Amino acid sequence: MDLYEFLITPAETTRLHGPHDRIVMSSRVRLARNLKNAAFPGWAKKPERIKIMETIRPAVESLPEMKDAFSEVMDNLGALDKQILVERHLISREHAAKSSGSGLVLNVRKLFA
């Protein structure tokens, strides 16, 4: 699934019906990590950031909560893709500026359009 297919798919929450179905609340979580014997991204060199990303990404993607998720490394997203994600408040401007060793995983079932 590419980013555009992911973003145009209506979220489950937009199809729910009930007494408060016109109210939509969204949140964003930043995953901070502390891996033994691994530097934090701001201190790590590019090869170490890439290695850490290659370790973390499959683990996050394999979580049951991430079924049907969109996952990508920041290097593979173009400027327009990143701008759309920033405007939809799915990533920060700081995260959009990152490249090697950074990525994102978005859960389509919990995404608010």
Side-chain angles (χ1 to χ4, degrees), residues 2-98:
D2 74 7
L3 180 62
Y4 298 106
E5 288 179 71
F6 180 83
L7 292 175
I8 63 169
T9 303
E12 285 180 18
T13 53
T14 62
R15 296 186 302 264
L16 298 176
H17 299 287
H20 303 292
D21 61 356
R22 293 180 185 208
I23 300 169
V24 177
M25 184 183 238
S26 99
S27 65
R28 177 173 67 190
V29 176
R30 178 178 174 266
L31 178 63
R33 54 129 188 107
N34 187 12
L35 300 175
K36 188 174 184 177
N37 300 321
F40 278 96
W43 301 334
K45 302 285 186 218
K46 183 177 176 177
E48 186 177 8
R49 289 193 318 266
I50 292 169
K51 183 180 175 188
I52 291 167
M53 180 60 137
E54 290 171 350
T55 302
I56 293 173
R57 186 175 173 197
V60 172
E61 290 173 341
S62 71
L63 295 169
E65 296 82 6
M66 292 299 140
K67 183 179 180 237
D68 301 322
F70 172 80
S71 175
E72 192 58 80
V73 294
M74 298 306 284
D75 283 341
N76 292 344
L77 296 175
L80 180 59
D81 298 332
K82 291 177 181 182
Q83 184 63 34
I84 290 168
L85 292 166
V86 168
E87 288 177 2
R88 291 196 179 192
H89 302 284
L90 297 172
I91 63 173
S92 66
R93 291 193 185 284
E94 295 78 16
H95 193 74
K98 294 180 180 178

